[in-house]
Amino acid sequence: MTLYIGREASKLWKRICAEITTEINLLAENWRYILAGLIFQYIHGLAARGVHYLHRPGPTLQDVGFFLLPELGKDKAYISEMVFTFVFVSFVLWTFHPFILKTKKIYTVLVWCRVLAFLVASQILRIITFYSTQLPGPNYHCREGSKLARLPRPHSVAEVLLINFPRGVIYGCGDLIFSSHMIFTLVFVLTYQKYGTKRFIKQFAWLIAVVQSFLIVASRKHYTVDVVVAWYTVNLVVFFIDKKLPELPDRTSGSSLFLPVTTKEKDARSKEENHKLLNGNGGDPADWRPRTQVNGKIMEDGNAVLADNAMNGA
């Protein structure tokens, strides 16, 4: 039993080391996209913080979702956050499954390049919408009488740039017309829908996305229109951007031959091939076999013998 555990642990460690090497090579090629996507997450948070300074509390707008769904109340507002945290953590763990599991379909770095591209495009549209029109927030801390509904003028630039994380993100106001939680949820679900392998998990993920939509409205964190806009906009963004991006290599065959070659490796291979051709060493060795010329045509060895026999017989 101990021998079996040790052997399996050794295989797992070799698998992890091999995957780390592969992902490091991919990261060296794509780190700019990852870094740009992460930096934009900060820019998105900074934009949401900035619109909070413009927010003016007022009467809650008439909303169909508020009439149809019972209000959860302040003491149960954490439920939607727990569901979102579950979705976020589950997706992150799934993207790192190639380091442990034998069956793998994705490369972690390439998937996150794709996910960040979807998020950035959706968040750009979100920033445009909530800066175009400021609505009175329906959340409890955004209503009239709340100390957090309005932010005092900042005393310094650093106060704005630091965005008071995480409190400033959780208790933000004014960033409406587009639900941020639904952007992340739908991008994660759509990504797993395409690259995941378990059908029941895909169905469960869509169910969670629907439940999350209802919880956001029931907890009065967003108006119903914010959730509706997120549903059709994120799907359209993912659809069009996914068509523009190159398709990810499929790893289901169990071979790493589909791993994208870096630019440096491509240049090195092309130089090596050109060097061989100039020195007369390139190509298939079979192409350097002696050939015989018959009637002005160059023929292979076997064809030459057949031709000679045919000529002698004639």
Side-chain angles (χ1 to χ4, degrees):
M1 184 66 181
T2 306
L3 181 62
Y4 173 78
I5 295 175
R7 184 167 62 250
E8 292 300 318
S10 176
K11 290 181 181 178
L12 177 62
W13 176 248
K14 290 179 180 179
R15 194 181 308 135
I16 293 174
C17 292
E19 194 66 28
I20 289 175
T21 304
T22 300
E23 296 292 346
I24 287 176
N25 292 332
L26 289 174
L27 185 61
E29 184 74 14
N30 300 280
W31 67 269
R32 296 176 183 85
Y33 307 112
I34 299 289
L35 182 61
L38 294 176
I39 291 175
F40 194 84
Q41 299 311 301
Y42 167 74
I43 295 174
H44 175 251
L46 186 63
R49 178 70 171 176
V51 80
H52 195 169
Y53 288 101
L54 305 176
H55 178 256
R56 295 295 177 264
T60 304
L61 302 179
Q62 184 175 347
D63 191 283
V64 175
F66 293 176
F67 287 107
L68 297 178
L69 297 175
E71 189 172 351
L72 290 178
K74 280 186 178 182
D75 55 335
K76 296 181 181 179
Y78 67 90
I79 297 178
S80 64
E81 293 295 332
M82 289 182 60
V83 173
F84 175 74
T85 303
F86 170 75
V87 172
F88 188 91
V89 174
S90 301
F91 181 79
V92 172
L93 291 177
W94 171 75
T95 59
F96 285 92
H97 81 272
F99 288 88
I100 300 175
L101 302 181
K102 289 183 179 180
T103 56
K104 54 195 74 175
K105 187 179 179 182
I106 61 169
Y107 292 100
T108 302
V109 171
L110 298 182
V111 162
W112 275 108
C113 286
R114 219 174 188 84
V115 168
L116 288 171
F118 300 151
L119 290 175
V120 168
S122 301
Q123 289 167 341
I124 288 174
L125 295 176
R126 181 172 190 259
I127 293 172
I128 294 173
T129 55
F130 65 61
Y131 269 104
S132 300
T133 303
Q134 286 86 46
L135 300 177
N139 212 334
Y140 302 105
H141 63 269
C142 299
R143 299 176 184 178
E144 290 180 307
S146 174
K147 295 180 180 179
L148 300 174
R150 294 191 183 193
L151 289 181
R153 293 188 62 182
H155 299 291
S156 63
V157 178
E159 184 180 344
V160 180
L161 296 178
L162 292 177
I163 67 177
N164 192 19
F165 184 84
R167 184 179 176 83
V169 176
I170 297 174
Y171 295 101
C173 296
D175 52 336
L176 299 173
I177 316 180
F178 216 146
S179 172
S180 179
H181 280 35
M182 288 308 302
I183 290 177
F184 280 90
T185 301
L186 290 172
V187 166
F188 292 165
V189 171
L190 288 167
T191 303
Y192 188 82
Q193 176 68 31
K194 183 172 183 179
Y195 300 109
T197 56
K198 305 296 183 181
R199 184 179 179 183
F200 74 94
I201 296 181
K202 295 179 182 181
Q203 296 172 345
F204 181 70
W206 283 113
L207 177 62
I208 290 293
V210 174
V211 171
Q212 175 77 345
S213 304
F214 289 129
L215 287 174
I216 288 174
V217 177
S219 59
R220 304 302 187 253
K221 293 183 177 180
H222 281 275
Y223 293 108
T224 307
V225 67
D226 303 338
V227 176
V228 173
V229 169
W231 267 93
Y232 69 76
T233 306
V234 173
N235 278 279
L236 288 174
V237 167
V238 171
F239 174 76
F240 285 108
I241 293 184
D242 189 63
K243 291 180 66 176
K244 296 295 182 181
L245 295 176
E247 190 55 60
L248 294 184
D250 192 358
R251 305 183 69 179
T252 52
S253 61
S255 175
S256 60
L257 296 176
F258 300 102
L259 180 63
V261 183
T262 62
T263 306
K264 293 182 180 179
E265 291 176 346
K266 288 180 180 178
D267 295 340
R269 288 184 182 181
S270 61
K271 289 181 180 179
E272 184 179 355
E273 291 174 358
N274 291 335
H275 182 71
K276 286 182 178 181
L277 290 173
L278 290 173
N279 293 335
N281 298 326
D284 189 354
D287 293 337
W288 295 93
R289 291 174 300 184
R291 291 172 171 81
T292 307
Q293 186 171 0
V294 178
N295 295 334
K297 295 182 179 180
I298 298 178
M299 307 182 67
E300 298 287 348
D301 290 341
N303 294 337
V305 172
L306 292 176
D308 292 338
N309 292 337
M311 292 178 64
N312 293 332

